[in-house]
Every structure is written in structure tokens, then in C-alpha cells.
């Protein structure tokens, strides 16, 4: 899935479209809706997305490289600082910014964040989750944002049910520059399959565990081997304390078996092959603050 610059393509609409917003605005859901398939993991819990995840959408007329970025926060750990570095990188290479707002959240807070980005490229202000509010509130939100200097256009959408997503895509293509595609037509991301496998496992942890467990946990895939009839995957779930390890494993191994079972089914759908998945839990105290651990885990 590496970068591939091609010199034989005719000119098409091509560019980088990066999604920014507060945690839980719906950025990952929007990326998946625009791509037409699930690339980014989704959770109702905040700070689910930790990396910049690119989705590459290609046709005969265009190639759009979308980026889902971590929710913009005030960093409290070295991990958070790494997440905000991913946001900074996405700001620097965007041709178009999508500024996503949960219409039910405080608009002033979103305005302060977007103003602080000092965007140098055009942006669409997207009011998300319109299916959960009234027409009057939608009109008030549009009126609030349409005068903002960073908003080229204000667009109402529902990423979850797909409302106005195709219209949004048409508008995006309309403003992108012409040029050669950056990636081959069969690529859907520049990230390796192992990354998405680890993310699927981590998504199940977000779904099955409460409190601090999901935030103190990361996943690393140590083995991804193609066998004759299946793919063998060995992954480690990293936690900070022995007590967290006990919770992840569960009584008699019940919880880790559930994580493994649910993750395996989704991984099989993602790679379209049978999977043998082994999960192990390892304690790494304060891994979120440790530069060496963070690099090892891909941050």
C-alpha cells in the first residue's frame, strides 16, 4: 500500500481533503461514508482515532485522498502530543479542509478551534448529525457559521445515515485542482493491512470495556503470515497496569475470547480470508508517556 507516483495518467481532479474537528464530531463516520466502506474505527467514546488515516477514492475523473485526523484536544500525555502532530501534518498538505461540527455541540467552541488553525486553504464547514435536530436549529447554525472567514461554504450533512454525502463529494471534486493521481487506482489507503487489523482489535476493546481501559490500551500486530488456507495473526494488547490486564482477560479468559471472536469476524470480512487470531496481553507501565514505546507502537 505504499506511495506510487504515476507518470502515465491523464490529468484528473486530484488532491488531499483533510477532515478536522473536535472529538466525537463524526470524522471517522464521515470518512467511511465518503469512501463507501469502513476504513476508520468508530466508537461513541472520545479520542478513538489516534492516527491520521488516509482513504483513497479513485475514479476515471478524480482521485481524492481523504484524511481522518484525531479530534483536536489540549494534549495531556505524550501520546496526545503525537496525535496533535498528526493534525498539524494534515493542515500542511491539505488542498481542501473539511471542518466538521456536531450541530448539537457548542458552536462557539468549534469556532475558536477552527479560527486557531489559521487555514491557508479553502474549507467547507460541515454541520453534522442534522438527523438529530430541528430545521430551526439547522438554520441558526448555518447563520452562525456562514459569516466566518474560514468557511468557504456551510453544508448540512448526516454522516451516519448518508444524508447529503454524495452532494458533498460532488462539491469536493468541483474545487480540487487538476493533476496526476498520487496513488495507483487499486489502493484504498497508504497504510498496511496490519494497521487496520490492529485498529479493528482496538475498536472491540472500546466497545466492550468502560472507564479508562480503552484509553490506556493499544494494540500491536507482531505476526501476519499467509498460510495455505488462512492468515495467521498474532497481536498484543498493551495496557499500563496488571489490574487492567486482568480486566482485559476476564474471568477464565472470557473477555479476551470475546474480543478475539468479534475482531476475527471483522478482520475476515476486511481481508476476505479466513483468519487464525491469537491475542496476548502485555503490561507496559506509562507507555503513553514513553517515546520508545510510542515509536514501537507506530505513533
Amino acid at each position: 500500500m505504499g506511495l506510487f507516483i504515476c507518470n502515465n495518467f491523464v490529468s484528473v481532479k486530484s488532491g488531499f481533503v483533510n477532515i478536522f474537528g473536535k472529538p466525537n464530531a463524526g470524522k471517522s463516520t464521515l470518512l467511511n461514508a465518503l469512501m463507501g466502506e469502513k476504513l476508520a474505527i468508530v466508537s461513541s467514546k472520545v479520542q478513538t482515532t489516534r492516527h491520521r488515516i488516509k482513504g483513497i477514492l479513485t475514479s476515471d475523473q478524480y482521485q481524492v485522498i481523504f484524511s481522518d485526523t484525531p479530534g483536536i484536544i489540549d494534549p495531556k500525555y505524550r501520546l496526545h502530543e503525537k496525535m496533535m502532530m498528526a493534525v498539524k501534518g494534515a493542515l500542511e498538505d491539505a488542498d481542501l479542509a473539511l471542518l466538521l461540527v456536531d450541530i448539537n455541540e457548542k458552536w462557539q467552541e468549534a469556532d475558536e478551534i477552527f479560527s486557531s488553525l489559521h487555514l491557508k486553504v479553502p474549507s467547507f464547514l460541515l454541520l453534522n448529525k442534522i438527523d438529530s435536530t430541528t430545521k430551526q436549529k439547522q438554520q441558526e447554525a448555518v447563520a452562525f457559521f456562514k459569516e466566518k472567514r474560514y468557511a468557504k461554504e456551510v453544508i448540512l450533512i448526516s454522516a451516519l445515515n448518508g444524508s447529503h454525502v454524495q452532494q458533498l463529494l460532488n462539491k469536493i471534486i468541483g474545487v480540487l485542482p487538476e493533476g496526476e493521481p498520487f496513488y495507483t487506482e487499486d489502493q484504498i489507503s497508504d497504510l498496511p493491512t496490519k494497521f487496520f487489523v490492529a485498529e479493528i482489535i482496538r475498536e472491540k476493546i472500546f466497545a466492550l470495556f468502560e472507564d479508562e481501559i480503552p484509553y490506556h490500551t493499544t494494540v500491536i500486530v507482531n505476526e501476519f503470515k499467509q498460510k495455505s488456507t488462512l492468515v495467521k495473526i498474532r497481536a498484543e494488547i498493551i495496557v499500563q497496569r496488571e489490574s487492567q490486564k486482568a480486566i482485559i482477560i476476564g474471568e477464565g479468559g472470557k473477555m479476551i475470547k470475546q474480543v478475539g471472536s468479534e475482531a476475527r469476524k471483522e478482520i475476515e470480512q476486511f481481508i476476505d480470508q479466513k483468519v487464525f487470531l491469537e491475542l496476548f496481553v502485555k503490561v507496559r507501565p506509562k507507555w503513553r508517556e514513553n517515546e520508545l514505546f510510542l515509536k514501537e507502537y507506530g505513533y
Side-chain angles (χ1 to χ4, degrees):
M1 286 191 176
L3 180 63
F4 179 87
I5 307 295
C6 183
N7 298 315
N8 301 319
F9 278 105
V10 296
S11 182
V12 297
K13 289 279 193 170
S14 179
F16 291 82
V17 178
N18 303 339
I19 308 169
F20 303 96
K22 291 174 61 180
N24 262 24
K27 297 180 297 297
S28 298
T29 303
L30 177 60
L31 174 68
N32 294 339
L34 287 163
M35 288 295 298
E37 63 181 290
K38 183 177 177 180
L39 282 184
I41 65 172
V42 177
S43 167
S44 60
K45 297 180 176 71
V46 299
Q47 298 172 30
T48 304
T49 301
R50 293 177 179 168
H51 297 80
R52 179 180 177 182
I53 300 172
K54 291 180 186 173
I56 304 162
L57 189 64
T58 304
S59 80
D60 293 339
Q61 291 80 39
Y62 59 81
Q63 184 175 88
V64 188
I65 302 100
F66 293 106
S67 284
D68 177 22
T69 63
I72 299 171
I73 56 173
D74 182 22
K76 292 183 173 61
Y77 304 99
R78 186 70 180 132
L79 171 61
H80 287 171
E81 292 173 12
K82 297 279 190 181
M83 289 159 61
M84 292 308 97
M85 286 170 63
V87 173
K88 185 175 183 291
L91 284 169
E92 292 173 351
D93 65 19
D95 292 296
L96 174 70
L98 302 181
L99 307 179
L100 195 63
V101 181
D102 179 342
I103 197 169
N104 300 300
E105 295 294 322
K106 295 177 180 177
W107 307 333
Q108 187 64 45
E109 290 182 4
D111 175 49
E112 290 171 3
I113 287 172
F114 297 147
S115 296
S116 72
L117 295 178
H118 303 296
L119 289 167
K120 296 179 175 62
V121 296
S123 69
F124 290 157
L125 190 290
L126 309 181
L127 291 165
N128 191 26
K129 307 185 184 181
I130 59 170
D131 51 318
S132 64
T133 190
T134 63
K135 291 287 185 184
Q136 180 179 346
K137 188 167 185 178
Q138 293 172 28
Q139 292 168 358
E140 291 170 358
V142 170
F144 177 86
F145 283 105
K146 73 177 182 179
E147 302 300 328
K148 305 302 179 184
R149 294 179 62 184
Y150 50 74
K152 177 182 177 71
E153 188 171 348
V154 179
I155 302 169
L156 295 159
I157 65 165
S158 172
L160 186 61
N161 65 25
S163 294
H164 305 157
V165 170
Q166 183 58 50
Q167 294 93 318
L168 170 61
L169 180 58
N170 294 340
K171 287 177 181 288
I172 289 168
I173 295 164
V175 301
L176 287 182
E178 290 197 353
E180 293 180 347
F182 294 87
Y183 298 88
T184 56
E185 63 182 20
D186 61 338
Q187 284 185 268
I188 60 169
S189 182
D190 64 343
L191 291 165
T193 303
K194 283 172 63 173
F195 169 83
F196 293 102
V197 168
E199 286 288 274
I200 289 168
I201 297 167
R202 196 165 64 84
E203 181 183 48
K204 304 313 170 191
I205 294 168
F206 266 77
L208 292 171
F209 297 93
E210 298 297 331
D211 302 323
E212 84 281 358
I213 293 291
Y215 303 104
H216 290 202
T217 303
T218 195
V219 176
I220 182 168
V221 174
N222 294 321
E223 184 179 356
F224 189 96
K225 283 188 178 178
Q226 181 74 55
K227 302 290 187 179
S228 57
T229 58
L230 50 71
V231 176
K232 182 184 178 185
I233 299 171
R234 183 185 187 278
E236 288 180 354
I237 299 170
I238 309 298
V239 295
Q240 297 205 123
R241 297 193 293 270
E242 288 290 342
S243 59
Q244 295 166 343
K245 177 178 179 178
I247 292 170
I248 292 278
I249 292 172
E251 187 176 351
K254 177 183 176 183
M255 292 308 298
I256 197 168
K257 287 176 184 175
Q258 187 174 354
V259 171
S261 176
E262 294 186 14
R264 179 184 54 78
K265 291 174 186 174
E266 189 161 331
I267 294 165
E268 287 179 340
Q269 291 178 346
F270 184 75
I271 66 175
D272 196 26
Q273 286 183 279
K274 295 293 288 183
V275 165
F276 175 74
L277 176 63
E278 285 186 296
L279 294 179
F280 301 87
V281 185
K282 181 177 287 188
V283 178
R284 290 273 179 93
K286 297 184 178 179
W287 69 263
R288 296 184 300 175
E289 294 279 12
N290 188 299
E291 187 71 26
L292 289 175
F293 288 164
L294 289 169
K295 284 184 178 179
E296 180 185 347
Y297 304 151
Y299 295 105

